[in-house]
Amino acid sequence: MSTTSVNTMAQTANTGWFNRFLSMVEWLGNLLPHPVTLFAMFATAIVLLSGVLGYFDVSVIDPRPEGAAGRAADGMIRVVSLLNAEGLQRIVTGLVTNFTNFAPLGTVLVAMLGVAVAEHSGMLSTAMRAMVMNASKRMVTVTIVFAAIVSNTASELGYVVLIPLAAMIFHSLGRHPLAGLAAAFAGVSGGYSANLLLGTVDPLLSGITESAAHLLNPDYVVGPEVNWYFMIISTFIIAAAGAFVTEKIVEPRLGEYNNDQASINLGEQKMDKPTALEMRGLKCAGIAFLVLVLVLGMTVTPGVDLPGFGILLNPETGSIAGSPFLKGIVVFIFLSFAVVGFVYGRVTGTMKNDRDVIEAMSKSIGSLSLYITLIFFAAQFVAFFKWTNLGTVLAVKGAAFLQYLGLDGPEVFILFIIMCAMINLSLGSASAQWAVTAPIFVPMLMLIGFAPEVIQAAYRIGDSVSNVITPMMSYFGLILAIAARYQKNLGMGTLIAMMLPYSMVFFLAWTILFYVWVFLLGMPVGPGAATYYTS
């Protein structure tokens, strides 16, 4: 591609209505305060609003049947004011327990302890390099997107290691390096909610979903595994879609690459293949993982009258649904990453003893300081929303409005996914966005008959597909800097224009998959996950 063509593409990308729209989104997003401040403001607003609505005795008819847990004797749901002596006392006495009892907090911390061992031992980085650098030329694109999706288990490595590596591999094959970067970026960020394994985001989102479901049903349980089946099938669909967009849309548009476009000396780039010792470490780690899977499989194997078999099945039904295994899935996420990571570290010499494991865990928890701060304020917002009944009142009103419009069938999820994708343009954090929207939309969609597990799966689609086109995504600046190595003066508009086809195709393919999987085939989105909710 000539310099003139590159400049023309950049100019085209930086003009037009769509880029003006994205510029407006960026401007509006920049006006938003820090997410921590945002949650503090939301919590304060809930207190003030509850005082006003409580004063006017705002209420709705409770749709739950008589005798249901939490249903008032007169069958009404009233807004409860926190702007009085009783409310302020509840705030003061509940501030700490709101935080410590917030469902996602403990589960995410436990899962991160295990992921930290696998990450700091070098196993995750080696696994990604081995997967991508050993792929055949014909399969390299789909392998890169697939590896990028799987890297979401430890997303930082995907951004920091895999995206630069993909650009280097494409360049070494005589292909446009920005096409490789785009493919990896699409997998890591656009395919954020697809994976073969459960990761730290699963207990985080499920905890928020469960808290929101409790507004209608205090006994409802949403485990980290509830979207696992849908995540697995999504991995292959998104990998195929990402490879298709790369080879049929993005790469042809970029054209041939000229090293003169680069802002660095590309001859200095180097990313080594895994060494023989690292490959041996991966093999041993794989064996350890298989042994662990066999042991865990034994605990959920029914009908075997031997010690240890079936001990983690549901003691009442003998099935895996509602079993201690699923309720404690975070423990097995922790064990899987910690054991396998330590085996790799011992073989390669990156981890020699328990001190190395403890140091890895300590560093990981230290890196979560911002997350813990955010969760403190998010927990207050969620608790206040529940105490005041505002979430339930809004849900009942919203459900009635949807029914009035005739949007009480599966088609409502199209609007829901689009809405989540649009909100994600300005509020890029998956947990922050879900903590704000779940208390409204989870009970609202439950009232028209859909289970929280399905609602969460739909949310994850919307939250993922617009990640690659929003400047609010936390790693967007890093991606822009990496891309600028290969094309001088590359602007944000050029990067967004390059990634937009992924966003559009992912939205279309993923939404179709959702409808086919859930409503046409009637498949559950995860183990024991319901599709429809009945009070």
Side-chain angles (χ1 to χ4, degrees), residues 222-425:
V222 182
E225 77 291 341
V226 295
N227 293 152
W228 195 8
Y229 295 162
F230 186 66
M231 286 166 53
I232 291 174
I233 190 65
S234 295
T235 303
F236 298 100
I237 299 299
I238 296 303
F244 171 83
V245 173
T246 303
E247 296 185 347
K248 301 300 182 181
I249 301 175
V250 173
E251 199 165 9
R253 182 172 182 267
L254 289 170
E256 294 184 7
Y257 184 68
N258 187 332
N259 284 347
D260 293 338
Q261 298 174 28
S263 60
I264 62 172
N265 181 357
L266 297 181
E268 296 176 356
Q269 295 191 110
K270 187 173 177 60
M271 181 71 77
D272 295 329
K273 288 186 176 182
T275 64
L277 180 61
E278 289 175 327
M279 291 304 296
R280 181 167 172 262
L282 281 182
K283 290 178 182 178
C284 292
I287 293 171
F289 179 71
L290 288 176
V291 171
L292 190 61
V293 167
L294 289 174
V295 173
L296 294 178
M298 179 184 73
T299 66
V300 291
T301 301
V304 180
D305 191 18
L306 289 174
F309 279 86
I311 60 173
L312 293 182
L313 289 171
N314 189 320
E316 296 178 359
T317 64
S319 67
I320 196 168
S323 65
F325 176 81
L326 291 182
K327 291 179 180 178
I329 196 72
V330 172
V331 176
F332 305 119
I333 295 173
F334 163 75
L335 286 175
S336 298
F337 283 102
V339 171
V340 173
F342 180 68
V343 169
Y344 173 88
R346 283 284 294 179
V347 173
T348 59
T350 56
M351 285 190 165
K352 298 180 175 63
N353 50 45
D354 60 317
R355 293 183 180 274
D356 293 328
V357 174
I358 294 169
E359 183 180 358
M361 291 181 174
S362 300
K363 287 181 179 178
S364 175
I365 295 298
S367 68
L368 290 175
S369 56
L370 178 59
Y371 164 76
I372 294 172
T373 305
L374 175 68
I375 284 297
F376 173 78
F377 289 97
Q380 309 311 322
F381 166 75
V382 171
F384 295 173
F385 218 67
K386 182 178 181 179
W387 293 347
T388 59
N389 287 335
L390 278 172
T392 312
V393 170
L394 284 173
V396 172
K397 292 287 188 182
F401 183 65
L402 290 175
Q403 289 173 333
Y404 172 76
L405 295 176
L407 295 175
D408 54 358
E411 69 278 358
V412 73
F413 283 104
I414 296 178
L415 295 177
F416 179 60
I417 292 170
I418 292 173
M419 183 211 66
C420 294
M422 295 297 290
I423 294 176
N424 190 51
L425 291 173

Side-chain angles (χ1 to χ4, degrees), residues 36-305:
V36 172
T37 307
L38 199 63
F39 276 115
M41 294 169 63
F42 283 161
T44 304
I46 290 296
V47 175
L48 298 175
L49 184 60
S50 72
V52 174
L53 298 182
Y55 177 79
F56 288 103
D57 196 27
V58 173
S59 62
V60 295
I61 298 174
D62 196 330
R64 293 172 292 185
E66 290 186 20
R71 194 178 194 271
D74 63 355
M76 300 298 292
I77 301 173
R78 291 181 171 81
V79 174
V80 177
S81 174
L82 294 180
L83 202 61
N84 52 36
E86 185 179 348
L88 294 176
Q89 289 170 8
R90 190 173 189 181
I91 291 172
V92 171
T93 57
L95 206 68
V96 174
T97 52
N98 290 343
F99 176 53
T100 56
N101 293 338
F102 195 53
L105 178 64
T107 51
V108 170
L109 293 180
V110 171
M112 277 301 299
L113 290 175
V115 174
V117 178
E119 181 179 349
H120 287 277
S121 69
M123 188 198 76
L124 295 179
S125 175
T126 301
M128 281 191 287
R129 286 188 288 129
M131 186 183 299
V132 173
M133 300 185 77
N134 291 324
S136 66
K137 289 185 178 182
R138 192 169 63 89
M139 292 294 294
V140 68
T141 306
V142 70
T143 303
I144 283 175
V145 182
F146 183 85
I149 294 170
V150 174
S151 76
N152 290 328
T153 307
S155 58
E156 280 192 14
L157 281 179
Y159 289 106
V160 176
V161 175
L162 189 56
I163 292 176
L165 174 61
M168 294 178 194
I169 290 175
F170 265 52
H171 182 255
S172 68
L173 294 174
R175 300 172 66 179
H176 203 297
L178 290 186
L181 176 145
F185 184 26
V188 174
S189 200
Y192 181 68
S193 283
N195 214 312
L196 300 180
L197 304 172
L198 297 178
T200 54
V201 70
D202 298 289
L204 175 60
L205 295 182
S206 64
I208 296 172
T209 304
E210 182 177 294
S211 297
H214 285 174
L215 295 173
L216 278 188
N217 186 342
D219 299 321
Y220 207 95
V221 177
V222 182
E225 77 291 341
V226 295
N227 293 152
W228 195 8
Y229 295 162
F230 186 66
M231 286 166 53
I232 291 174
I233 190 65
S234 295
T235 303
F236 298 100
I237 299 299
I238 296 303
F244 171 83
V245 173
T246 303
E247 296 185 347
K248 301 300 182 181
I249 301 175
V250 173
E251 199 165 9
R253 182 172 182 267
L254 289 170
E256 294 184 7
Y257 184 68
N258 187 332
N259 284 347
D260 293 338
Q261 298 174 28
S263 60
I264 62 172
N265 181 357
L266 297 181
E268 296 176 356
Q269 295 191 110
K270 187 173 177 60
M271 181 71 77
D272 295 329
K273 288 186 176 182
T275 64
L277 180 61
E278 289 175 327
M279 291 304 296
R280 181 167 172 262
L282 281 182
K283 290 178 182 178
C284 292
I287 293 171
F289 179 71
L290 288 176
V291 171
L292 190 61
V293 167
L294 289 174
V295 173
L296 294 178
M298 179 184 73
T299 66
V300 291
T301 301
V304 180
D305 191 18

Side-chain angles (χ1 to χ4, degrees), residues 504-523:
M504 297 171 67
V505 172
F506 282 9
F507 167 78
L508 185 62
W510 222 338
T511 303
I512 291 173
L513 174 65
F514 176 76
Y515 274 86
V516 170
W517 183 264
V518 176
F519 299 114
L520 186 60
L521 299 179
M523 301 292 287

